[in-house]
Amino acid sequence: MNKIFLLAIIIFTEQNNKKMITVAIIEDEPAVRKEISYLIQEETDTELIGWSDSVRTAVKLIEEKQPDVIMMDIQLKDGTAFDLLKKLNVIPQNVIFITAYNHFAIKAIKYGALDYLLKPVDQTELKEALERYRRRSDNNPQWMQQLNMAQHAMHHGDLPESIALTSIHNVRIVGVHDIVYCKGDGPYTFFFLSDGSKELISKPLKYYEELLPAPYFLRTHQSYLVNRKYITGVNRSEYIVLKNKEEIPISSRRRNIILTQLFPEK
């Protein structure tokens, strides 16, 4: 048999044996729904199995069709995505949230380390979200806690009690007040925690500077974000001294701002 012909048969067989990813869209804006539908149909291994524009009809769709992936707008015409999830008999772990740029919504999603896409949805970003789904384990014991954290943050603008950190191997929920400091290293951030452990997260420090804002945390240096709770003093106006005696550098550019925040004039 011709080798090229044999190779073509093998490729054809592999493609046909490849499991299709079934997708449901929960979105009440027709134009957005149409665009996402088109992008999904452009993917070779995805199949759109239905859509809904409300909480009420989405419950029936999800429970009957049981899609592999649910792409769901946070704000629907008769409630929110979180309202919808509460109504399901089994809450799925395969939700990709869709949102217009909304500072509080995005921040809440990030606190819970949940997956999301911004409107208008970009083809490349959708591909990346589907790829994350392919790599993801179906059994994430932290999932409900992550959802609850995001929902709580949606309704309370202050610093949350906990944050979800997605490392290479797992998701770890940590108390915000247990974070001693964060150290940036290019596209990565090390979290140093009060129990002496540390976590390596594949996101830059700037990502967490927004989630862990002043006055609770201080950006003392290009590479450091420090929890004020653990600061005991300053050494020669060049280093922050922590309770565990560690010293964190203060950049010359930030020195006056940091010293003013720590020692405001009376």
Side-chain angles (χ1 to χ4, degrees), residues 215-262:
Y216 308 100
F217 286 77
L218 296 180
R219 184 75 179 265
T220 65
H221 184 278
Q222 180 180 353
S223 301
Y224 290 91
L225 186 63
V226 183
N227 190 339
R228 287 187 65 163
K229 173 183 173 182
Y230 293 94
I231 296 175
T232 59
V234 175
N235 185 359
R236 303 191 309 277
S237 298
E238 295 179 357
Y239 296 93
I240 293 287
V241 181
L242 304 180
K243 289 181 180 180
N244 62 5
K245 309 304 180 185
E246 279 192 77
E247 293 185 340
I248 305 297
I250 302 173
S251 70
S252 57
R253 184 170 61 86
R254 300 173 188 268
R255 184 173 298 147
N256 290 338
I257 296 173
I258 295 299
L259 293 177
T260 300
Q261 288 179 311
L262 290 176

Side-chain angles (χ1 to χ4, degrees), residues 109-127:
I109 291 170
K110 288 180 176 179
Y111 280 132
L114 304 175
D115 212 348
Y116 73 98
L117 294 170
L118 276 176
K119 299 178 186 179
V121 176
D122 177 77
Q123 178 79 64
T124 300
E125 292 177 355
L126 183 140
K127 284 179 179 290

Side-chain angles (χ1 to χ4, degrees), residues 111-112 142 145-146 149 162-165 171-175:
Y111 280 132
Q142 311 274 22
Q145 194 173 353
Q146 289 175 249
M149 287 166 56
S162 302
I163 186 171
L165 302 178
V171 176
R172 181 176 178 184
I173 309 295
V174 302

Side-chain angles (χ1 to χ4, degrees), residues 17 35 38 59 66 84 90 95 98 104 122-124 141 171 188 199 201-202 213 218 266:
N17 289 336
E35 177 63 19
Y38 171 77
V59 171
Q66 296 186 358
L84 166 55
V90 178
V95 177
I98 304 167
F104 293 107
D122 177 77
Q123 178 79 64
T124 300
V171 176
Y188 301 96
E199 290 285 343
I201 309 301
S202 58
L218 296 180
K266 297 182 179 179

Side-chain angles (χ1 to χ4, degrees), residues 7 27 39 43 56 71 77 85-86 114 122 143 145 147 173-174 194 208 224 234 239:
L7 179 60
E27 169 61 65
L39 295 178
E43 298 294 315
R56 181 181 58 82
M71 295 189 173
K77 62 184 181 182
L85 292 172
K86 285 181 179 179
L114 304 175
D122 177 77
W143 174 244
Q145 194 173 353
L147 281 177
I173 309 295
V174 302
S194 58
Y208 290 105
Y224 290 91
V234 175
Y239 296 93

Side-chain angles (χ1 to χ4, degrees), residues 7 14 44 54 92 110 137 144 173 201 233:
L7 179 60
E14 288 179 348
T44 59
S54 68
K110 288 180 176 179
S137 169
M144 281 304 302
I173 309 295
I201 309 301

Side-chain angles (χ1 to χ4, degrees), residues 1 6 20-21 42 60 98 120 179 218 227 233 259 264 266:
M1 184 180 293
L6 180 60
M20 295 293 286
I21 299 172
E42 289 291 293
K60 182 178 180 181
I98 304 167
I179 300 169
L218 296 180
N227 190 339
L259 293 177
K266 297 182 179 179

